[in-house]
Amino acid sequence: MFKGILIEKDEAGYRAGLRDISEEHLPPGDVTVRVLYSTLNYKDGLAITGAGPVVRKFPMIPGVDLTGIVEESTDADFKVGDQVLLNGWGVGEGHWGGLAEMARLEGKWLIPLPKGFTAAQAMAIGTAGYTAMLAVIALEEHGLTPEKGDVLVTGANGGVGSFAVAILAKLGYRVIASTGRVAESAYLNQLGAAEIVDRATLSEPGRPLAKERWAAAVDSVGSHTLANVCAGIKYRGTVAACGLAQGMDFPATVMPFILRGVTLAGIDSVTRPRADRVQAWDRLATDFDVALLPLISREIGLSEVVEVSAQLIAGQVRGRVVVDVNR
């Protein structure tokens, strides 16, 4: 038996809670992992609270991230005792995930725990930091350099936003942070933001084409915010889109793209090839200051997950939540 957060849906309704689960119920997979840490991402919050149609089959253990130690393996790339990391691959949606003491997974979804990080640090970074790094790499691949101008980060108090601010600042960019929690500006300044703007200036319907303000942007918000960001990007700038906290709609026009040559780069972190994952984590080891992790993240136990998930969806959680699944 092992403990885990189990989401169930039946005649009695939709519910999630801490349960004792038999190992015989673990799904098929070629690597069995004793989980050390997981996290609470926005997607996990949607799944646990039922606020979004994330879970594709029931019952389900949520948790799109995990680190742990291999206990059994028939995959040639991993042996018993290896420390491993997982981000994405539909885990926590269609396959039991990391918010439990045990997980059975496909070896192709795993990478070795990146050098330079402990299991807890890797989860403090998690999918949020990994996605932010993928976004920064995409901006660089489209020609962004610090000399080009300011870089906007929306949803800056969230997980992806916090890491994007910190990474870009360390790389020498002047970062403009957009947030709905302007009272927490000091936090964003500590991460490296040079300027803070209220998200209200971007979240309402705006002009199809606005004044050129930013050389590039990392957007984790979507909807009107993403439309306004694209409208304000400088000539031949790039927007890396990786979230939909405001909504999945995109009420925009083609004007920024055909009049200014703006690029909208979609950032998929779920099914990225292993080489991209390793590259992103290698970059995190050099381009992110791990000394910031205590500022960005906090740790909870499995018994607190359901309560904190509700707070996350309500916009009351800053940065990252690491889950020690063994307490």
Side-chain angles (χ1 to χ4, degrees), residues 77 143 160 271 290:
D77 289 333
V160 174
T271 56
V290 293

Side-chain angles (χ1 to χ4, degrees), residues 8 12 15 45 54 57 96-97 104 131 188 205 210 216 228 253 261 284 322:
E8 300 170 278
R15 60 197 179 277
V54 170
K57 61 181 180 180
W96 283 13
R104 184 168 293 138
T131 301
L188 295 169
N228 288 324
T253 75
L284 282 162
V322 179

Side-chain angles (χ1 to χ4, degrees), residues 30-320:
D30 50 17
V31 181
T32 302
V33 176
R34 169 68 63 180
V35 181
L36 298 176
Y37 294 92
S38 186
T39 66
L40 268 184
N41 291 284
Y42 191 75
K43 186 180 289 186
D44 299 318
L46 291 173
I48 291 166
T49 62
V54 170
V55 179
R56 299 197 294 270
K57 61 181 180 180
F58 299 89
M60 177 59 57
I61 293 175
V64 304
D65 290 331
L66 66 84
T67 54
I69 299 172
V70 174
E71 288 211 337
E72 298 178 15
S73 175
T74 57
D75 185 301
D77 289 333
F78 298 100
K79 64 182 186 300
V80 174
D82 284 349
Q83 287 194 286
V84 293
L85 166 72
L86 180 141
N87 304 117
W89 289 112
V91 169
E93 303 171 68
H95 187 99
W96 283 13
L99 284 168
E101 294 173 331
M102 297 290 295
R104 184 168 293 138
L105 309 155
E106 297 295 329
K108 64 184 180 182
W109 300 339
L110 303 171
I111 65 171
L113 182 69
K115 293 179 180 178
F117 297 119
T118 66
Q121 287 173 334
M123 283 296 93
I125 295 170
T127 284
Y130 155 64
T131 301
M133 192 71 248
L134 289 173
V136 172
I137 291 170
L139 296 181
E140 293 174 340
E141 289 176 344
H142 284 87
L144 182 66
T145 59
E147 298 76 31
K148 296 288 180 68
D150 295 348
V151 180
L152 175 70
V153 176
T154 65
N157 264 301
V160 174
S162 294
F163 281 98
V165 169
I167 292 166
L168 287 163
K170 186 173 181 183
L171 290 171
Y173 293 92
R174 185 175 188 273
V175 182
I176 312 300
S178 168
T179 179
R181 287 173 274 174
V182 178
E184 295 193 14
S185 294
Y187 163 72
L188 295 169
N189 291 143
Q190 285 178 278
L191 295 181
E195 184 181 334
I196 315 297
V197 297
D198 193 318
R199 73 177 176 200
T201 63
L202 296 168
S203 60
E204 299 298 324
R207 296 179 178 180
L209 204 62
K211 179 182 178 181
E212 296 181 57
R213 300 170 63 185
W214 313 288
V218 175
D219 176 70
S220 60
V221 179
S223 192
H224 289 290
T225 297
L226 177 57
N228 288 324
V229 169
C230 290
I233 293 293
K234 292 180 178 181
Y235 180 69
R236 301 201 71 179
T238 303
V239 180
C242 56
L244 41 71
Q246 185 179 3
M248 64 180 70
D249 59 325
F250 183 41
T253 75
V254 299
M255 291 178 68
F257 311 110
I258 63 175
L259 295 182
R260 290 185 183 158
V262 169
T263 296
L264 180 58
I267 306 302
D268 161 51
S269 62
V270 176
T271 56
R272 273 313 249 266
R274 182 177 287 183
D276 288 1
R277 294 167 180 270
V278 172
Q279 178 195 16
W281 280 98
D282 285 347
R283 286 287 303 273
L284 282 162
T286 59
D287 298 337
F288 173 73
D289 183 359
V290 293
L292 293 173
L293 285 178
L295 181 65
I296 295 175
S297 67
R298 65 185 175 103
E299 189 176 297
I300 65 172
L302 267 181
S303 62
E304 302 167 80
V305 163
V306 173
E307 178 183 357
V308 177
S309 293
Q311 297 169 4
L312 178 63
I313 297 305
Q316 299 168 351
V317 173
R318 183 182 79 185
R320 297 280 294 149

